Amino acid sequence: MKNLYSTGRRKTSSARIFMKKGRGEIKINNLLLNEYFFLNKHRLIVMKPLLVVQDDQYINNFNYYITVKGGGISSQSIAIRHGISRVLLIHNSNLKNILRSLGFITRDSRKVERKKYGLIKSRSKHQYSKR
């Protein structure tokens, strides 16, 4: 099996995922999963596609090398989840229904609305004073 590659995105975060035969190691920016994400919530978000598939071969027989940049920790974890889901689809297209039903394949396209001229933020205006 050759190395598989996919990208995942969320807000301004972009994650590149490389999947290759191995012992089940997940490295993010040359750090192990537990070292990069210190909150258990973010680790669970990253592992969710692998756990949902209910096939231990994806956890134990493949290494995942991930590079992620941009955004915050929460956005990065969701971008990685998106990328891992897409890599699993490339490897096995039968997983599409499971991953699609949980919304892991769909890219969340919401971004921060830009600030407009003459306003404080994107929609908030200066307070109106009658007198």
Side-chain angles (χ1 to χ4, degrees):
M1 185 200 112
K2 63 181 193 269
N3 298 341
L4 298 178
Y5 165 77
S6 183
T7 58
R9 291 188 186 89
R10 167 81 168 101
K11 288 188 178 180
T12 57
S13 299
S14 180
R16 299 184 313 164
I17 286 82
F18 299 92
M19 183 172 118
K20 53 177 87 169
K21 285 277 189 197
R23 301 184 318 266
E25 201 173 69
I26 298 177
K27 279 197 164 185
I28 303 168
N29 292 347
N30 290 326
L31 296 172
L32 291 174
L33 178 66
N34 297 335
E35 296 170 3
Y36 192 81
F37 292 117
F38 48 89
L39 288 179
N40 200 29
K41 174 178 81 170
H42 300 304
R43 288 185 221 139
L44 190 64
I45 289 172
V46 169
M47 291 294 292
K48 198 71 170 173
L50 301 172
L51 298 173
V52 165
V53 169
Q54 296 175 345
D55 192 355
D56 288 339
Q57 77 162 1
Y58 293 111
I59 297 173
N60 298 329
N61 297 336
F62 292 101
N63 287 348
Y64 298 91
Y65 297 103
I66 301 163
T67 57
V68 63
K69 60 183 177 181
I73 294 293
S74 183
S75 176
Q76 285 183 355
S77 63
I78 296 172
I80 292 171
R81 181 183 73 183
H82 182 233
I84 288 176
S85 301
R86 290 176 65 178
V87 158
L88 293 177
L89 272 182
I90 293 170
H91 184 262
N92 183 1
S93 61
N94 298 331
L95 305 173
K96 186 171 187 173
N97 291 335
I98 301 166
L99 297 172
R100 169 81 63 198
S101 65
L102 294 168
F104 293 166
I105 300 170
T106 308
R107 188 219 192 280
D108 192 352
S109 62
R110 294 177 294 171
K111 289 190 176 184
V112 177
E113 190 175 344
R114 78 171 203 84
K115 181 193 174 301
K116 276 79 170 192
Y117 172 77
L119 301 181
I120 296 171
K121 295 196 302 188
S122 63
R123 295 184 185 216
S124 62
K125 302 168 182 67
H126 293 281
Q127 186 173 2
Y128 174 71
S129 174
K130 196 167 189 179
R131 288 176 189 83

